[in-house]
Amino acid sequence: MAMHKSTSGSALGPGGLDLTQAFFKSIMNAAPSSPTKRHTKISIVGAGNVGMAIAQTILTQDLTDELVLVDAIPDKLRGEMLDLQHAAAFLPRTRIQASTDYSVTAGSDLCIVTAGARQINGESRLNLLQRNVHLFQKIIPPLVRHSPDTILLVVSNPVDVLTYVAWKLSGFPSNRVIGSGTNLDSSRFRFLIADHLDVNAQDVQAFIVGEHGDSSVALWSSISVGGVPVLSFLEKQQIAYEKEMLENIHKEVIQSAYEVISLKGYTSWAIGYSVANLARSILRDQRRVHPVSVLAKGFYDLEDGEVFLSLPAQLGRGGVLGVTNVHLTDEEKHRLKDSATTILQVQNQLAL
Ligand SMILES: NC(=O)C1=CN([C@@H]2O[C@H](COP(=O)(O)OP(=O)(O)OC[C@H]3O[C@@H](n4cnc5c(N)ncnc54)[C@H](O)[C@@H]3O)[C@@H](O)[C@H]2O)C=CC1
Ligand SMILES: CC(=O)C(=O)O
């Protein structure tokens, strides 16, 4: 029997008979879906390790009605799309599409960019810059053309400089261009602190800010566990702690990506959860605070240049809604400025 899909997604039989309608009317008289629920569409550019980890987390967490994948390699892209579609029976209902043509992304609420070169064993993130800027010049303009109201969420490395590049290429206001930044470093930090204190990582509030990379800054002074501010508590109780021990935990955070890359070749699962966590805050307008890469000018005395780096930012449907005013010690402020200088020095070499 000849059958094809209509534009509304229902199946048409001979003579234009709407089989989907006929079938459902006869068995359940299906009610129309709720008009109050806002339809959401997420596009992911780059269907590699990171893009697919994000896609799979977004699907299992039921964060969107439509999920679109874009990549430059058509066979791999179609393979990834089919593999996800074949899980439909086990997942919340989501329309999954894929194409090398950016028109498929039209009308996206959120565009997540993960395309690009990744580090090889021992290589720094900043080393990837030139290759990935070149790709961004091909990726950002068509994304923006098809979704002029979207929020851009950059994941490709070096994420802070590439978020700046995406901002420049898009012409968007800075609140709609976000880098995944140190949301991942902060979850590694929370895991290590939780492991050290034998508590649940979800009860550890702790931020890494600055560069997603070697010059990141650990905000020890504001860490709390279950509402107890850790350092001031230890001091009040006259419990000795070694500054070196704190530095070692931060060093372990910095080394995390290098270690995982040396062991399995890339990192994927934690960034998948980290980005899905950001997508949830943005699309569900949760107004939660995340350490993400934002235009830093005007916050924390960072007045020099247009630099994107991670600060604790409130996220919602409008993108970045604000930056929270966490108290920093003089040392933390100094380290944050140094981190900004590191990023700016790399950024200043760019010719856009
Ligand atoms: N910000 C963060 O916390 C993290 C960032 N990353 C970064 O994410 C990026 C991707 O890493 P992986 O997925 O492991 O790499 P991968 O090599 O597995 O995937 C990259 C994908 O980009 C695609 N691609 C290349 N050029 C393209 C173009 N012009 N248009 C569309 N797609 C294109 C490739 O075909 C490939 O599928 C890297 O830059 C990596 O450093 C990785 C982990 C964490
Ligand atoms: C690769 C990378 O940036 C990370 O896993 O932190």
Side-chain angles (χ1 to χ4, degrees), residues 153-175:
L153 178 52
V154 176
V155 182
S156 313
N157 273 318
V159 67
D160 300 294
V161 187
L162 287 178
T163 307
Y164 164 82
V165 170
W167 176 53
K168 284 287 168 195
L169 292 172
S170 66
F172 279 2
S174 58
N175 62 300

Side-chain angles (χ1 to χ4, degrees), residues 129-130 133 161-162 164-165 345-352:
L129 182 63
Q130 219 45 60
V133 166
V161 187
L162 287 178
Y164 164 82
V165 170
Q345 278 167 354
V346 177
Q347 204 169 286
N348 288 341
Q349 296 162 17
L350 287 174
L352 283 178

Side-chain angles (χ1 to χ4, degrees), residues 48-50 71-72 76 114-118 155 157 180 184 212 267 271:
N49 304 306
V50 172
D71 199 282
K76 174 179 157 54
T114 76
R118 61 179 145 89
V155 182
N157 273 318
S180 63
L184 173 57
H212 169 60
T267 63
I271 185 65

Side-chain angles (χ1 to χ4, degrees), residues 33-290:
S33 56
S34 161
T36 51
K37 188 178 176 291
R38 197 184 186 288
H39 185 91
T40 52
K41 178 169 178 176
I42 299 179
S43 292
I44 301 177
V45 183
N49 304 306
V50 172
M52 294 316 296
I54 295 170
Q56 110 101 18
T57 315
I58 282 173
L59 289 174
T60 53
Q61 296 188 359
D62 195 11
L63 296 181
T64 190
D65 302 291
E66 284 187 68
L67 182 70
V68 169
L69 304 173
V70 176
D71 199 282
I73 305 175
D75 285 353
K76 174 179 157 54
L77 184 61
R78 184 166 164 73
E80 292 290 10
M81 178 192 74
L82 291 173
D83 208 6
L84 285 180
Q85 287 176 336
H86 296 166
F90 316 110
L91 286 171
R93 188 162 178 260
T94 306
R95 184 175 190 216
I96 303 169
Q97 299 175 85
S99 178
T100 54
D101 181 338
Y102 282 82
S103 61
V104 74
T105 65
S108 295
D109 301 286
L110 181 66
C111 292
I112 302 171
V113 185
T114 76
R118 61 179 145 89
Q119 299 149 269
I120 54 164
N121 201 356
E123 189 179 20
S124 123
R125 295 173 181 86
L126 293 175
N127 213 29
L128 302 170
L129 182 63
Q130 219 45 60
R131 280 169 282 168
N132 287 346
V133 166
H134 185 62
L135 287 188
F136 268 46
Q137 285 167 329
K138 293 192 209 153
I139 292 169
I140 302 297
L143 265 187
V144 165
R145 200 165 53 248
H146 290 289
S147 301
D149 300 321
T150 197
I151 291 170
L152 290 173
L153 178 52
V154 176
V155 182
S156 313
N157 273 318
V159 67
D160 300 294
V161 187
L162 287 178
T163 307
Y164 164 82
V165 170
W167 176 53
K168 284 287 168 195
L169 292 172
S170 66
F172 279 2
S174 58
N175 62 300
R176 286 203 282 126
V177 187
I178 305 168
S180 63
T182 56
N183 200 47
L184 173 57
D185 316 52
S186 299
S187 81
R188 288 172 174 150
F189 194 37
R190 291 167 69 190
F191 160 72
L192 290 170
I193 294 167
D195 202 37
H196 201 75
L197 299 178
D198 198 16
V199 296
N200 189 319
Q202 295 196 25
D203 288 331
V204 178
Q205 204 182 32
F207 291 124
I208 299 272
V209 294
E211 183 201 1
H212 169 60
D214 302 348
S215 74
S216 70
V217 182
L219 299 187
W220 284 105
S221 65
S222 58
I223 294 174
S224 64
V225 176
V228 178
V230 172
L231 288 199
S232 58
F233 174 78
L234 293 177
E235 272 156 23
K236 265 191 213 136
Q237 301 291 315
Q238 298 183 329
I239 301 172
Y241 63 89
E242 302 279 333
K243 193 149 188 252
E244 199 184 331
M245 183 266 288
L246 307 183
E247 294 289 351
N248 283 343
I249 293 183
H250 181 212
K251 273 188 197 144
E252 205 173 330
V253 171
I254 294 175
Q255 279 310 313
S256 298
Y258 292 109
E259 186 182 6
V260 176
I261 290 168
S262 78
L263 293 168
K264 66 174 245 191
Y266 55 89
T267 63
S268 57
W269 301 123
I271 185 65
Y273 281 99
S274 167
V275 172
N277 178 242
L278 300 177
R280 177 189 295 274
S281 286
I282 294 167
L283 294 177
R284 302 239 172 115
D285 198 29
Q286 288 198 322
R287 293 161 186 261
R288 292 195 59 202
V289 175
H290 300 268

